Amino acid sequence: MSTSLFEQLQRLKAPQSGVIADPKRRASILFDPKEAASKDRRTIYDLGIHGLQELIVLNPAFQQFEQTLFDENTLHMERAVEVKEVNDLLNRNIKKFLQHLSPYFLLRPSLLCLEWLVRRFQVHEYNRNELMALVLPYHETNAFVKVIQTFSLKESVKDWNWLKPLQKPGKPLAKSAILNRAATDKGFLNFVCKITTEAIKELGPQAHLLQTLMNFYGSVVVGALETASVIQEWHITTILPSLMKGLTTNTIDFASAAYIITARLVARTLVTAKLCNALISKVSNVQFERLRRTAVLLLIWIFDSQQASQPKFSEDTLRHLVRQKWFLTILSDLSRENVDIQSICQPIIMDSVHYIHTQSSQWEEYKIFLENLIQEVVFPTTTAQQVISTFLDCYVPSTSSNGPSPQRSSPLLDGDIIELDSEDDDVTMTSTNFHSWYSSYLHKLERQYPTVFDMTIKESLSSKEKENANGRSIAIKMALGYRLQSFGNAAFDIYESLYHHNGEIRLLAIQNLVTNLKVYQK
């Protein structure tokens, strides 16, 4: 018995005791503290019921609270002396109600309901965090000021004590103050991320109503990333759980916010390879048609800004993308709009050729995709040159299948010439089908971009700084073969020498060509 009495006395030391201490003043959102003290509990309850009925008209989901927070029996409830189980249930109901109230906070019915919750359940003291989750997205409004003026922000209230200077003058909270706080306070940044994901989960199919909250979340996280002088590990680990949920959500506004945050994150700092590839996987599986173009632009940005992390598509992710007709359509549109799509085309080509060579699962789909790529996407000169160069690097002359990226050998040395002997042992292929397809595709690139193709081959032959893998050398033989197939064997040496990096060899080739011009014309 004494133990039970002690527990009740301890609960009476809680926030409600501060209210009881001054019967001439009452915390209130709608009224002056003295005026609020003159209104009895029944009057405030009637206001709350009236507000709830209006909210039910707007959204029937509020009916669930008629028999809990707004039941008439709550008129006689004293939560300070209730057992823990009762208070836990009450807290869950209050949190749930405030989450559903978020889209309607600025409406008068919402303020009527809050007036009842403040009077009866002292939510401004017992449920301060839940109430802040409701009002923080509206930090620039007078309604926000009215709510925080009900708080008792003592020094011990460390989470929200920084808002105390706003209470007496009744000033709204500036956005810059929020961004500075989020950039430097892990707890506050985590609070913003957590309240967003929890509210979206609670509202489920109606989460689209939380536009104000989701916009607030996106602007605060992006602002924190921009405001922070240096992006630290705690910034990333704090926002990552909500970011990953946003990239896979069924709520389009949440997904949009996650895309914007991702773009800002990869722009501000170099992320780990694991995180980079996880972001690529999530973004590639875009669920909303309206966000497809944004998703492709974001992928381009990730590959461009995170090159040091060596971003790559997983096989499942790439297979998913090459199956999507809209993907090529968007790439084509972006290319026509002079958007540089080179950073995403290069890994797609390299990985696709690798999967074709190894004949991995659904390898025929990669062939179809690459065929459609050069048919539907018109590349500008710079991108076309990179595409051709990338394709030349993809040739696999042996059974090696260590990965999509070919192994590099040492660069050409002064005086070296790429041999064009058709009987070279290195031409031996692991797959006749792959060799045939590769040759055909190379020829299509040549027909599609003849000038750029010549330029790329010329640079490969003439630049001694250019590194040439064995596969690239054989690929160049194929390219030259199309041009030289009607010539004699001696023409191979002349053609190659014309583009040699050694000036003396080029001069000898020109002299030889002039001398034998009539022979080659026959």
Side-chain angles (χ1 to χ4, degrees):
M1 182 67 179
S2 59
T3 302
S4 177
L5 178 60
F6 175 76
E7 291 176 351
Q8 292 183 32
L9 290 174
Q10 286 295 103
R11 285 194 289 271
L12 282 171
K13 290 171 60 178
Q16 180 170 304
S17 60
V19 178
I20 297 175
D22 188 359
K24 295 182 179 181
R25 298 176 65 87
R26 288 279 191 178
S28 174
I29 296 174
L30 297 177
F31 309 107
D32 176 87
K34 291 183 179 180
E35 182 183 358
S38 67
K39 298 183 181 298
D40 61 21
R41 188 177 297 174
R42 168 62 70 172
T43 300
I44 303 300
Y45 173 74
D46 290 340
L47 290 175
I49 289 295
H50 180 70
L52 182 66
Q53 294 304 319
E54 291 191 39
L55 288 175
I56 291 173
V57 173
L58 296 174
N59 189 342
F62 284 102
Q63 287 180 331
Q64 62 184 302
F65 302 105
E66 286 183 305
Q67 304 303 317
T68 55
L69 301 178
F70 294 87
D71 188 274
E72 191 167 0
N73 290 330
T74 58
L75 279 166
H76 312 291
M77 179 182 180
E78 295 293 345
R79 69 177 299 181
V81 295
E82 291 290 347
V83 296
K84 182 179 183 299
E85 290 75 13
V86 173
N87 272 299
D88 287 344
L89 178 60
L90 180 60
N91 287 333
R92 287 196 295 271
N93 281 323
I94 289 172
K95 181 177 182 177
K96 187 174 185 178
F97 176 77
L98 295 179
Q99 288 172 332
H100 282 269
L101 195 64
S102 180
Y104 312 98
F105 171 63
L106 295 182
L107 301 180
R108 183 166 177 78
S110 299
L111 300 181
L112 294 176
C113 291
L114 287 176
E115 185 70 17
W116 166 244
L117 297 184
V118 168
R119 171 63 67 90
R120 179 66 291 197
F121 303 114
Q122 291 80 48
V123 294
H124 59 299
E125 299 293 351
Y126 283 103
N127 306 95
R128 190 180 292 115
N129 284 348
E130 290 78 8
L131 195 53
M132 282 300 300
L134 167 67
V135 304
L136 200 54
Y138 301 91
H139 60 92
E140 295 178 321
T141 68
N142 289 329
F144 169 82
V145 174
K146 290 291 186 182
V147 171
I148 66 167
Q149 284 179 329
T150 65
F151 293 171
S152 176
L153 298 178
K154 301 176 181 178
E155 290 294 333
S156 58
V157 186
K158 295 182 179 180
D159 289 343
W160 305 112
N161 182 258
W162 57 282
L163 297 175
K164 189 173 180 62
L166 302 176
Q167 288 184 305
K168 189 172 182 179
K171 293 182 179 180
L173 179 59
K175 189 60 171 284
S176 59
I178 290 181
L179 300 185
N180 288 330
R181 194 78 188 183
T184 57
D185 186 340
K186 178 181 178 180
F188 180 71
L189 182 59
N190 181 64
F191 177 79
V192 172
C193 296
K194 186 177 180 181
I195 64 173
T196 304
T197 55
E198 289 181 346
I200 291 172
K201 181 179 179 180
E202 170 59 36
L203 267 67
Q206 291 191 323
H208 62 277
L209 297 173
L210 297 168
Q211 289 183 346
T212 301
L213 174 60
M214 289 183 283
N215 290 339
F216 174 75
Y217 160 76
S219 64
V220 169
V221 176
V222 169
L225 294 175
E226 292 177 344
T227 304
S229 56
V230 177
I231 302 300
Q232 300 181 30
E233 184 177 354
W234 70 261
H235 287 110
I236 299 176
T237 56
T238 301
I239 68 175
L240 197 55
S242 62
L243 179 60
M244 288 303 184
K245 290 179 181 178
L247 292 175
T248 56
T249 184
N250 292 322
T251 306
I252 189 168
D253 290 312
F254 191 24
S256 298
Y259 281 13
I260 296 172
I261 293 169
T262 301
R264 197 64 197 133
L265 175 63
V266 298
R268 282 290 333 257
T269 188
L270 182 67
V271 300
T272 64
K274 182 178 180 181
L275 175 55
C276 185
N277 294 334
L279 293 174
I280 290 171
S281 177
K282 300 293 185 184
V283 175
S284 298
N285 287 278
V286 55
Q287 300 186 41
F288 303 98
E289 183 177 352
R290 285 167 49 190
L291 293 181
R292 287 173 179 172
R293 179 184 171 92
T294 304
V296 175
L297 286 169
L298 181 53
L299 287 173
I300 293 172
W301 180 233
I302 293 174
F303 275 95
D304 188 53
S305 62
Q306 296 291 309
Q307 294 180 25
S309 294
Q310 299 181 330
K312 62 176 294 182
F313 292 104
S314 68
E315 185 172 0
D316 289 341
T317 299
L318 186 58
R319 186 185 304 120
H320 167 75
L321 276 181
V322 301
R323 289 173 175 172
Q324 310 305 315
K325 293 182 179 179
W326 56 262
F327 182 57
L328 272 178
T329 301
I330 293 174
L331 284 180
S332 178
D333 292 342
L334 293 175
S335 184
R336 283 198 301 269
E337 296 167 14
N338 295 320
V339 176
D340 187 0
I341 61 174
Q342 175 178 309
S343 62
I344 194 174
C345 288
Q346 183 175 359
I348 289 177
I349 292 172
M350 296 186 76
D351 289 357
S352 295
V353 172
H354 169 70
Y355 295 134
I356 292 170
H357 172 253
T358 58
Q359 295 192 350
S360 61
S361 176
Q362 310 299 322
W363 61 277
E364 287 285 353
E365 293 182 339
Y366 297 108
K367 290 173 64 175
I368 295 172
F369 174 81
L370 290 180
E371 297 287 341
N372 292 334
L373 179 66
I374 59 174
Q375 290 178 11
E376 298 183 22
V377 181
V378 179
F379 297 111
T381 299
T382 303
T383 304
Q385 187 172 4
Q386 183 60 46
V387 166
I388 294 169
S389 181
T390 298
F391 192 74
L392 290 173
D393 285 333
C394 289
Y395 188 78
V396 184
S398 66
T399 58
S400 173
S401 58
N402 294 329
S405 301
Q407 296 295 320
R408 299 282 187 182
S409 63
S410 58
L412 287 173
L413 300 177
D414 194 29
D416 287 350
I417 296 179
I418 299 177
E419 297 296 336
L420 290 172
D421 186 358
S422 60
E423 297 180 356
D424 195 323
D425 291 338
D426 288 337
V427 181
T428 303
M429 304 296 299
T430 59
S431 169
T432 302
N433 289 336
F434 173 75
H435 175 84
S436 176
W437 170 82
Y438 186 91
S439 300
S440 174
Y441 196 84
L442 193 64
H443 194 28
K444 290 176 182 178
L445 283 173
E446 182 183 19
R447 291 200 308 268
Q448 190 84 0
Y449 303 98
T451 303
V452 179
F453 193 90
D454 282 349
M455 186 188 310
T456 306
I457 296 297
K458 177 181 177 180
E459 288 186 0
S460 295
L461 293 172
S462 62
S463 176
K464 62 181 179 181
E465 288 84 12
K466 182 73 175 180
E467 292 186 354
N468 281 271
N470 191 35
R472 172 179 272 259
S473 299
I474 298 175
I476 292 175
K477 293 178 187 180
M478 294 182 186
L480 297 181
Y482 287 118
R483 300 293 179 82
L484 304 172
Q485 57 188 357
S486 61
F487 294 168
N489 290 334
F492 281 93
D493 292 333
I494 294 176
Y495 191 95
E496 188 177 27
S497 298
L498 285 172
Y499 294 106
H500 200 280
H501 57 78
N502 189 305
E504 294 181 359
I505 294 179
R506 292 198 301 272
L507 179 60
L508 289 173
I510 293 173
Q511 293 173 346
N512 193 4
L513 185 61
V514 172
T515 301
N516 297 281
L517 182 60
K518 293 182 179 181
V519 176
Y520 291 115
Q521 288 177 337
K522 292 180 180 180

